[in-house]
């Protein structure tokens, strides 16, 4: 039942100065009256109330209670937030008190899902809540805020209106075939409308892919034969000695990971073991893990030693990374100054990798300040946009080939429904349950 009272800890379950417990649903004010030293159920306006929370005749804690009468709340229901001292013993007793009165634990993302079901936000805005929580850079946070603040949804609404107009144009031709020739469906008008929509969709997908880089980050794999300086490069990126550096080939036997931000893009850096044939069982296992990391990588940094020709071992590595986005990096320029081949030249031992960072952003195709543009940044949204684009392309092909209007209408109806799915209009519980299950409990 969507209005039944729920409770969750909204802050991490750790010892801290303060903790926040959130409740929402029918009857939470009346239930709170049983435990709080001040009356809550009669409140008609938002209120902040300091007082004592007691359970089973004993005081639990001195708290500050925030009461939000519905429906003008985040969830559309009565909401209570309790700010108590951050002992998990205190939190447990407060939660136990409410559970004894029929309140239940909230599921993951249930507070946000109630906001969605009560019309407080659409699905694009709701998903932005999770993006905001998971943001690891300022740029990722700013990109999510654009969606949460409602700057993206109007773009979807405009797209829906455009498709609706084309659908109406086709329906007129189906429903009123007796119209004069000049009033029948205008094939060129339909074609022009479809082309405009496709141009908009391509722009949305391009901006969305860039926004997704900021929100979800990228995996970068350092690949190269042993002893070309991959570990030194990783240490230079992280500005710490995370990986062991040695002149002995094969020092790195496992995938060493590190996280950093490059111009606001969250990056997971993977220093792979030097890939070569080996009789050493542990080294062979490391090589296999390195190959898995290459498959997961969004960008491969193919590290070579400056001044040395490509050898058979490196040619094998080139075949291994075929089909991936690859940036060639020539290391050890402190030993060899001459730049003979295309690529980025660095000296990891000096720690100056700024030129390489710039090249990584350029290779990823991320425009400067892309996070400041309202855009769709997750896999679900981008997948739907690409599906709509394919459907509009099918309509264009149908117009060119003289396909029956009934079929064009069916395709446009599918595109229209897909736009509604993007916003979560008439969304199925299966879809929304899957989306909100990715959220943390208490949000």
């Amino acid at each position: 039942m969507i209005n039944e009272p729920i409770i969750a800890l909204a802050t991490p379950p750790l010892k801290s100065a303060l903790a926040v417990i959130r409740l929402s649903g029918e009857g939470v004010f009346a239930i709170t009256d049983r435990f709080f030293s001040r009356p809550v159920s009669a409140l008609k306006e938002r209120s902040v109330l300091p007082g004592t929370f007691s359970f089973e005749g004993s005081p639990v804690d001195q708290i500050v209670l925030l009461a939000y009468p519905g429906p003008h709340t985040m969830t559309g229901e009565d909401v209570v937030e309790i700010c108590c001292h951050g002992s998990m013993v205190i939190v447990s007793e407060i939660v136990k008190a409410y559970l004894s009165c029929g309140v239940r634990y909230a599921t993951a993302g249930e507070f946000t899902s109630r906001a969605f079901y009560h019309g407080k936000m659409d699905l694009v805005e709701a998903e932005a809540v999770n993006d905001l929580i998971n943001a690891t850079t300022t740029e990722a946070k700013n990109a999510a805020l654009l969606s949460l603040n409602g700057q993206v949804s109007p773009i979807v609404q405009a797209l829906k209106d455009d498709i609706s107009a084309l659908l109406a144009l086709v329906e007129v031709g189906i429903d009123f075939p007796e119209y004069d020739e000049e009033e029948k469906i205008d094939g060129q008008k339909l074609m022009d409308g479809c082309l405009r929509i496709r141009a908009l969709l391509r722009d949305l997908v391009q901006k969305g892919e860039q926004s997704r880089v900021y929100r979800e980050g990228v995996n970068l794999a350092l690949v190269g034969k042993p002893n070309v300086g991959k570990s030194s490069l990783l240490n230079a990126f992280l500005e710490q000695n995370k990986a062991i550096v040695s002149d002995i080939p094969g020092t790195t036997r496992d995938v060493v990971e590190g996280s950093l931000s490059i111009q606001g893009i969250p990056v997971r850096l993977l220093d792979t073991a030097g890939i070569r044939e080996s009789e050493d069982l542990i080294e062979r296992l490391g090589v296999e893990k390195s190959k898995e990391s290459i498959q997961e990588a969004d960008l491969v940094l193919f590290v070579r030693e400056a001044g040395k020709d490509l050898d058979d071992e490196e040619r094998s590595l080139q075949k291994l990374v075929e089909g991936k986005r690859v940036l060639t990096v020539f290391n050890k320029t402190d030993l060899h100054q001459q730049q003979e081949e295309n690529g980025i030249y660095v000296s990891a031992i000096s720690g100056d990798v700024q030129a390489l960072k710039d090249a990584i952003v350029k290779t990823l195709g991320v425009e400067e300040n892309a996070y400041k543009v309202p855009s769709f940044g997750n896999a679900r949204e981008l997948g739907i946009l690409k599906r709509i684009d394919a459907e509009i392309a099918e309509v264009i092909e149908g117009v060119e080939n003289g396909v029956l209007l009934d079929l064009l209408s069916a395709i446009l109806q599918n595109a229209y429904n897909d736009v509604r799915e993007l916003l979560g209009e008439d969304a199925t519980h299966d879809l929304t349950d899957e989306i909100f299950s990715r959220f943390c409990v208490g949000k």
Side-chain angles (χ1 to χ4, degrees):
M1 188 172 66
I2 194 170
N3 292 319
E4 65 181 326
I6 55 174
I7 188 171
L9 177 64
T11 46
L14 303 168
K15 181 177 72 174
S16 59
L18 299 171
V20 176
I21 300 167
R22 176 176 289 166
L23 297 105
S24 181
E26 187 177 350
V28 293
F29 281 10
I31 295 172
T32 300
D33 281 343
R34 304 183 190 184
F35 311 114
F36 193 46
S37 57
R38 300 176 64 176
V40 177
S41 56
L43 293 173
K44 301 300 180 184
E45 297 180 351
R46 297 180 181 182
S47 304
V48 179
L49 306 172
T52 302
F53 190 98
S54 301
F55 179 48
E56 295 180 341
S58 300
V60 175
D61 193 17
Q62 296 293 321
I63 68 168
V64 175
L65 186 142
L66 290 80
Y68 305 91
H72 303 296
T73 63
M74 178 264 193
T75 62
E77 305 167 338
D78 288 344
V79 173
V80 169
E81 290 186 350
I82 294 172
C83 184
C84 62
H85 291 96
S87 161
M88 289 303 101
V89 173
I90 293 172
V91 169
S92 178
E93 288 188 24
I94 293 174
V95 172
K96 181 181 177 181
Y98 280 102
L99 295 179
S100 70
C101 296
V103 179
R104 67 166 174 81
Y105 281 115
T107 58
E110 189 168 4
F111 289 91
T112 308
S113 71
R114 291 191 176 196
F116 167 70
Y117 285 122
H118 286 125
K120 297 300 179 179
M121 57 177 62
D122 60 40
L123 205 51
V124 172
E125 294 165 342
E127 288 185 285
V129 173
N130 202 37
D131 290 338
L132 197 61
I133 293 170
N134 291 316
T136 57
T137 66
T138 300
E139 290 76 6
K141 179 265 295 181
N142 290 340
L145 270 178
L146 291 175
S147 295
L148 183 60
N149 292 338
Q151 296 186 48
V152 175
S153 298
I155 301 173
V156 189
Q157 189 61 50
L159 178 62
K160 187 170 78 168
D161 291 344
D162 288 344
I163 295 175
S164 177
L166 294 185
L167 187 56
L169 184 66
V170 173
E171 289 294 329
V172 166
I174 295 172
D175 294 339
F176 303 100
E178 70 277 8
Y179 274 10
D180 294 335
E181 283 298 322
E182 63 269 16
E183 293 178 305
K184 286 186 179 180
I185 181 171
D186 185 335
Q188 188 58 50
K189 188 175 181 180
L190 178 59
M191 177 72 78
D192 291 344
C194 286
L195 291 173
R196 282 196 304 273
I197 290 172
R198 285 207 75 193
L200 172 62
L201 288 166
R202 284 194 294 269
D203 183 59
L204 291 176
V205 169
Q206 179 187 17
K207 290 176 180 176
E209 294 287 6
Q210 294 189 33
S211 178
R212 186 179 180 186
V213 169
Y214 281 107
R215 299 189 198 201
E216 298 183 5
V218 294
N219 291 331
L220 262 60
L222 292 165
V223 175
K225 69 180 187 179
N227 212 33
V228 294
K230 299 187 299 299
S231 296
S232 296
L233 199 54
L234 177 131
N235 290 340
F237 269 120
L238 301 180
E239 299 180 2
Q240 60 175 291
N241 294 324
K242 176 116 182 188
I244 298 173
V245 176
S246 168
D247 292 333
I248 303 171
T251 303
T252 302
R253 294 186 165 202
D254 201 351
V255 176
V256 180
E257 298 185 17
S259 297
L260 71 152
S261 169
I262 298 179
Q263 295 183 26
I265 299 172
V267 173
R268 177 171 168 246
L269 199 59
L270 308 171
D271 174 20
T272 64
I275 297 175
R276 63 175 181 174
E277 296 296 326
S278 174
E279 297 299 321
D280 188 304
L281 174 61
I282 295 177
E283 188 172 355
R284 287 206 310 271
L285 291 173
V287 168
E288 289 304 313
K289 290 188 69 174
S290 295
K291 291 179 179 179
E292 292 175 8
S293 297
I294 290 171
Q295 295 307 310
E296 295 175 4
D298 300 291
L299 175 63
V300 172
L301 302 184
F302 181 31
V303 185
R304 294 175 54 193
E305 186 170 338
K308 292 194 175 182
D309 294 333
L310 192 72
D311 58 24
D312 291 340
E313 196 171 346
E314 289 175 324
R315 289 189 184 92
S316 297
L317 285 175
Q318 282 185 327
K319 292 182 179 179
L320 188 63
V321 298
E322 280 183 356
K324 305 293 293 187
R325 205 158 24 175
V326 179
L327 179 61
T328 302
V329 181
F330 292 96
N331 191 25
K332 302 187 181 181
T333 55
D334 51 303
L335 302 177
H336 186 88
Q337 297 290 331
Q338 192 172 354
Q339 300 184 9
E340 301 165 341
E341 299 182 59
N342 292 329
I344 305 299
Y345 285 75
V346 299
S347 172
I349 201 167
S350 72
D352 184 10
V353 291
Q354 187 56 50
L356 178 54
K357 289 181 178 180
D358 294 341
I360 288 169
V361 175
K362 184 177 179 180
T363 305
L364 289 171
V366 179
E367 297 177 7
E368 187 178 1
N369 296 330
Y371 59 89
K372 295 181 179 180
V373 179
S375 56
F376 303 92
N378 65 45
R380 184 193 75 90
E381 294 166 348
L382 289 170
I384 293 175
L385 288 175
K386 291 174 182 178
R387 193 164 74 221
I388 297 169
D389 182 57
E391 288 160 344
I392 299 300
E394 193 176 352
V395 173
I396 292 173
E397 184 180 353
V399 173
E400 292 173 338
N401 296 326
V403 169
L404 292 174
L405 294 183
D406 286 346
L407 181 56
L408 296 182
S409 175
I411 300 169
L412 284 170
Q413 186 64 58
N414 287 338
Y416 182 80
N417 291 337
D418 285 338
V419 179
R420 299 192 70 201
E421 182 182 336
L422 198 58
L423 290 169
E425 296 176 355
D426 290 340
T428 66
H429 277 282
D430 287 343
L431 168 66
T432 53
D433 286 350
E434 194 279 326
I435 290 172
F436 291 117
S437 68
R438 306 172 196 160
F439 287 45
C440 56
V441 175
K443 195 59 186 171

